[in-house]
Amino acid sequence: MGAGHAHQLYRRGDSPVHGLPPHTKLVAVLGFVLVVVATPREAVWAFALYAALLGAVAARARVPAGFLLRRLAIEIPFVAFAVLMPFVVPGEQTSVLGVSLSVPGLWGAWNILAKGTLGVAASVLLAATTELRALILGLQRLGLPSPIVQIASFMIRYGDVITDEMRRMSVARRSRGFEARGVRHWGVLAKSAGALFIRSYERGERVHLAMVSRGYTGTMPLLDERPTTRAQWAAALALPLAALPICILGRTL
Amino acid sequence: MNTPSLEVSGLAYAYPDGHQALFGVDLTIGRGERVALLGPNGAGKTTLVLHLNGILTAGAGTVTVAGLPVGRKHMAEIRRKVGIVFQDPDDQLFMPTVREDVAFGPAAAGLRGAELDAVVERALEKVGMTGYADRPPHHLSFGQRRRVAVATVLAGEPEILVLDEPSSNLDPASRRELADVLRSLDVTVLMVTHDLPYALELCPRSLVLSEGVIAADGPTREILGDEELMNRHRLELPFGFVPGSVA
Ligand SMILES: Nc1ncnc2c1ncn2[C@@H]1O[C@H](COP(=O)(O)OP(=O)(O)OP(=O)(O)O)[C@@H](O)[C@H]1O
Ligand SMILES: [Mg+2]
């Protein structure tokens, strides 16, 4: 599929994982996350196996560990919350290095940390191997309602155009000696935001005109209708299917 | 001559706010002709263009494209036959990649697969942008975007290509490249422009629209050479430009 905007999470490549149709990857990640979440937290070994599975996918996708770990950073705010749990959750206490910690709190923290990290890692892998544009097309093929797909597509296309417009307005403001400092200047900024809104709105009208002129009748034609092969589905679903027995084992043991 | 590409007769239009922009426009453009539509700001040129594919509906009069009357009944067919290139390519190129954008019109008309790919490829080739199919439009230069905008319309294989100020904002090289593209095309062209040398270079015939009516219709060289006519309609040649001196 065509190159959309290269987003920061994406890592160009031509690995087998990159080549899979985006909607199969979306289903695979969703399936994997559901399996992980359904695993009881006490089955610590299961989470180690899940991590190993993701490691194998990353290796196939040729996504280096450093890249993956750095992008896991978005998880940190949630981790901070998890770290608090052993101190604040009431219940049976245990002592680690002389600090008294709550046992249910420790399990809770572990639960969030392990499942969260695996979920984020799977998503980061998906984003690293799939372009934003392809992700949206994948969602479309999975039946995401057309208006939402269209809105998302326009956000990709016009994000930069509107950012540029905003920057030009800011340059124009500053060229006339205006620097936004403090509350007194908020009025000017609010007016600029209003002007930006109107400009974007009018652009929307012109774009709509151009679309109608080229035969738009309310739905976007789906351009990529190549059927997905059984082998592609099998390759994508290998991840959740490998995770499933681990989960079942974890629940029964 | 066989059926003309475009026939407009007695076209009048008032905007919903009551402002009357067109007061009975008559014009005929034969198949394969390249015609410039000249006129001062606010003359009604864009308003006229928006009637050609039924975006605006005539208050009075008719528009006929290749024998087909513009109206509700044949709208899809009309929109395919009339390819409009709008002034700002950022309005025209609304898909995330050049390829998807060029494919939009033909895909909306039902084309798919290899056939669609071939149409896209051919359209990009005509404007010399083959290598840019997978680029997002925002990463192209303005001149390249304008050429892709032309390709998006050519992909529909229109009967008539309508361009609203095609040379605006182009540097001299891009302006010439676009002229080469337009000259190489084998379609009827109606070109709205303030760039009079460009009109002379590309269009043997010109129309002058002024205050909502066609005020003149004739060979471009003669119109640009008629000082009295030019002054009457606020048309001015660039400094030092003498139409008679251009080969
Ligand atoms: N949406 C609108 N509502 C009301 N009046 C309009 C609207 N759009 C244009 N007009 C008016 O109609 C007249 C013709 O406008 P039009 O845009 O067709 O001119 P133009 O010949 O394209 O001018 P330019 O060379 O500046 O592009 C102008 O007087 C304009 O103010
Ligand atoms: Mg105009």
Side-chain angles (χ1 to χ4, degrees), chain A residues 133 157-158 203 206 214, chain B residues 79 90-91 93 100-101:
Chain A
R133 174 67 191 143
R157 171 63 184 91
Y158 287 103
R203 181 180 294 281
R206 294 197 304 273
R214 276 157 65 199
Chain B
R79 300 242 155 109
D90 272 329
D91 297 340
L93 305 175
E100 286 169 86
D101 220 304

Side-chain angles (χ1 to χ4, degrees), chain A residues 1-3 5 133 154 157-158 160-161 164 203 206-207 209-216 220-223 225, chain B residues 50 53 55 79 86 88 90-97 100-101 104-105 107-108 112 134 136-138 152:
Chain A
M1 204 49 235
H5 271 214
R133 174 67 191 143
F154 287 133
R157 171 63 184 91
Y158 287 103
D160 285 349
V161 174
D164 267 7
R203 181 180 294 281
R206 294 197 304 273
V207 170
L209 233 143
M211 293 174 70
V212 169
S213 295
R214 276 157 65 199
Y216 175 75
M220 286 295 192
L222 191 56
L223 297 179
E225 278 180 326
Chain B
L50 292 178
N53 72 348
I55 297 274
R79 300 242 155 109
F86 291 94
D88 184 348
D90 272 329
D91 297 340
Q92 180 112 24
L93 305 175
F94 46 79
M95 295 293 275
T97 67
E100 286 169 86
D101 220 304
F104 182 87
R112 289 291 183 276
D134 291 321
H138 192 66
T152 63

Side-chain angles (χ1 to χ4, degrees), chain B:
Chain B
M1 214 199 304
N2 42 17
T3 345
S5 284
L6 179 68
E7 243 183 320
V8 176
S9 81
L11 179 67
Y13 180 79
Y15 277 101
D17 68 356
H19 182 91
Q20 179 102 19
L22 299 177
F23 294 85
V25 172
D26 296 285
L27 62 93
T28 303
I29 298 178
R31 182 157 293 167
E33 265 195 291
R34 272 205 305 271
V35 179
L37 182 63
L38 315 176
N41 287 136
K45 302 181 297 294
T46 301
T47 309
L48 173 59
V49 165
L50 292 178
H51 279 87
L52 302 184
N53 72 348
I55 297 274
L56 294 180
T57 314
T62 56
V63 179
T64 313
V65 176
L68 212 62
V70 174
R72 286 219 156 273
K73 211 162 137 228
H74 309 286
M75 206 53 99
E77 179 79 358
I78 292 287
R79 300 242 155 109
R80 209 187 53 69
K81 282 185 187 293
V82 181
I84 301 188
V85 179
F86 291 94
Q87 194 174 345
D88 184 348
D90 272 329
D91 297 340
Q92 180 112 24
L93 305 175
F94 46 79
M95 295 293 275
T97 67
V98 167
R99 183 194 304 285
E100 286 169 86
D101 220 304
V102 177
F104 182 87
L111 230 56
R112 289 291 183 276
E115 221 180 330
L116 181 62
D117 290 344
V119 166
V120 171
E121 199 58 30
R122 223 173 322 130
L124 285 175
E125 205 176 284
K126 281 185 191 155
V127 299
M129 291 291 293
T130 336
Y132 296 84
D134 291 321
R135 298 276 291 274
H138 192 66
H139 291 176
L140 303 178
S141 79
F142 195 88
Q144 290 172 329
R145 266 181 279 169
R146 174 77 41 83
R147 274 189 282 156
V148 172
V150 173
T152 63
V153 166
L154 288 179
E157 293 174 355
E159 162 84 23
I160 176 165
L161 181 63
V162 181
L163 304 125
D164 201 349
E165 307 195 15
S167 64
S168 62
N169 287 324
L170 295 187
D171 65 25
S174 309
R175 181 175 171 277
R176 181 190 45 73
E177 281 164 5
L178 184 67
D180 293 341
V181 167
L182 294 178
R183 234 193 314 266
S184 73
L185 299 177
D186 184 26
V187 289
T188 311
V189 172
L190 178 65
M191 187 172 104
V192 174
T193 188
H194 293 293
D195 184 344
L196 302 179
Y198 212 53
L200 181 62
E201 186 185 342
L202 285 170
C203 304
R205 175 182 163 207
S206 287
L207 305 168
V208 175
L209 185 69
S210 186
E211 295 174 3
V213 292
I214 298 290
D217 177 354
T220 307
R221 190 182 302 274
E222 278 175 28
I223 288 185
L224 299 193
D226 185 341
E227 216 168 306
E228 200 268 324
L229 173 83
M230 296 277 286
N231 287 338
R232 199 154 13 105
H233 301 296
R234 284 176 59 86
L235 295 172
E236 283 179 25
L237 294 168
F239 178 74
F241 181 78
V242 185
S245 71
V246 181

Side-chain angles (χ1 to χ4, degrees), chain A residues 84-94 101-108:
Chain A
L84 283 178
M85 289 181 75
F87 299 99
V88 296
V89 173
E92 185 192 337
Q93 300 284 309
T94 178
L101 297 173
S102 127
V103 173
L106 276 172
W107 276 117

Side-chain angles (χ1 to χ4, degrees), chain A residues 189-210:
Chain A
L189 292 181
K191 282 202 191 95
S192 300
L196 182 68
F197 173 77
I198 290 175
R199 281 195 201 186
S200 307
Y201 183 85
E202 285 178 344
R203 181 180 294 281
E205 285 195 322
R206 294 197 304 273
V207 170
H208 181 251
L209 233 143

